[in-house]
Amino acid sequence: MVEKYGDDVVFFDGRNQYEAKIGRFKNAVVPDTRTSRDFKRELESGKYDELKDKKVISYCTGGVRCELLSAMMKQRGFKDVYQIDGGIVKYGEAYGDDGLWEGQLYVFDGRMGMNFSDHSKVIGECIHCGGKTSNYENCANPACNDLVLICETCLKDPTKLYHSAKCLKNISEKKYSSDFS
């Protein structure tokens, strides 16, 4: 489709935003979502109305979430909506990193990411230094626990295990106050 229709084809990510930070189709639209329920709000916001007359390819990891997204898009006036059969996994098996995919595929196991080849591109950025990384860590503040990208260099600095100065400050204040309780 991309070869035939060029810029009239738009990839639309059907995953969570943090998944797209480490891998996505080139020039894909990545909506502001954390859960599948967020797609309704996003699609009804008007942000994507200019895509309603384009050929939209929704995609997700294995093909399940983009089924839901495709149906939601059609119900909201998107005319030509397609999806990748078998999701990114099947696409990666067929084309690896030599197609339109760039980066790692986020996976929901201990690996958190997988490459399709030995020459995959790193597109994620460390929240502290902006360096390229695909390494996800949970913020060390248990009250926060957000999943964030932190490069190997910044991981060596214990203060950077917290994804923000606020999280570090909050944990430091709790530790300080508990020492004198």
Side-chain angles (χ1 to χ4, degrees):
M1 278 182 80
V2 173
E3 286 178 11
K4 186 173 181 179
Y5 298 107
D7 291 340
D8 285 331
V9 177
V10 176
F11 286 98
F12 199 98
D13 204 318
R15 303 170 302 150
N16 301 316
Q17 233 183 17
Y18 62 85
E19 294 174 80
K21 285 183 179 181
I22 63 169
R24 61 185 165 269
F25 281 95
K26 293 175 185 167
N27 302 316
V29 172
V30 179
D32 183 16
T33 60
R34 290 183 59 86
T35 70
S36 294
R37 291 181 303 277
D38 295 336
F39 282 108
K40 180 179 178 188
R41 171 187 39 83
E42 280 291 290
L43 292 173
E44 291 175 355
S45 71
K47 291 181 195 176
Y48 311 105
D49 285 355
E50 76 278 359
L51 304 178
K52 288 185 175 182
D53 292 322
K54 293 190 177 248
K55 294 175 184 339
V56 177
I57 301 173
S58 69
Y59 67 91
C60 58
T61 305
V64 177
R65 288 181 283 177
C66 49
E67 284 274 348
L68 172 67
L69 176 59
S70 294
M72 289 174 70
M73 293 178 102
K74 288 178 182 177
Q75 290 171 350
R76 285 159 181 82
F78 290 79
K79 295 180 181 40
D80 266 339
V81 182
Y82 305 86
Q83 58 200 50
I84 297 176
D85 187 33
I88 301 162
V89 171
K90 292 293 183 191
Y91 183 90
E93 288 173 1
Y95 300 101
D97 293 303
D98 299 321
L100 299 172
W101 178 258
E102 54 186 11
Q104 275 193 340
L105 173 61
Y106 183 90
V107 291
F108 296 90
D109 61 21
R111 299 171 294 169
M112 294 184 122
M114 65 174 262
N115 294 316
F116 291 120
S117 72
D118 60 355
H119 61 277
S120 66
K121 184 177 178 181
V122 178
I123 67 168
E125 293 181 1
C126 176
I127 60 163
H128 297 296
C129 70
K132 295 294 183 192
T133 188
S134 294
N135 182 58
Y136 267 113
E137 299 287 334
N138 287 89
C139 177
N141 181 342
C144 171
N145 203 36
D146 277 358
L147 191 60
V148 292
L149 287 167
I150 303 176
C151 72
E152 298 298 325
T153 302
C154 288
L155 273 177
K156 294 175 186 171
D157 179 347
T159 65
K160 293 191 176 170
L161 298 177
Y162 302 88
H163 87 282
S164 70
K166 181 180 176 185
C167 282
L168 176 60
K169 181 178 184 244
N170 287 347
I171 201 77
S172 296
E173 287 174 357
K174 285 181 182 178
K175 184 177 179 184
Y176 179 77
S177 64
S178 67
D179 287 346
F180 295 97
S181 302

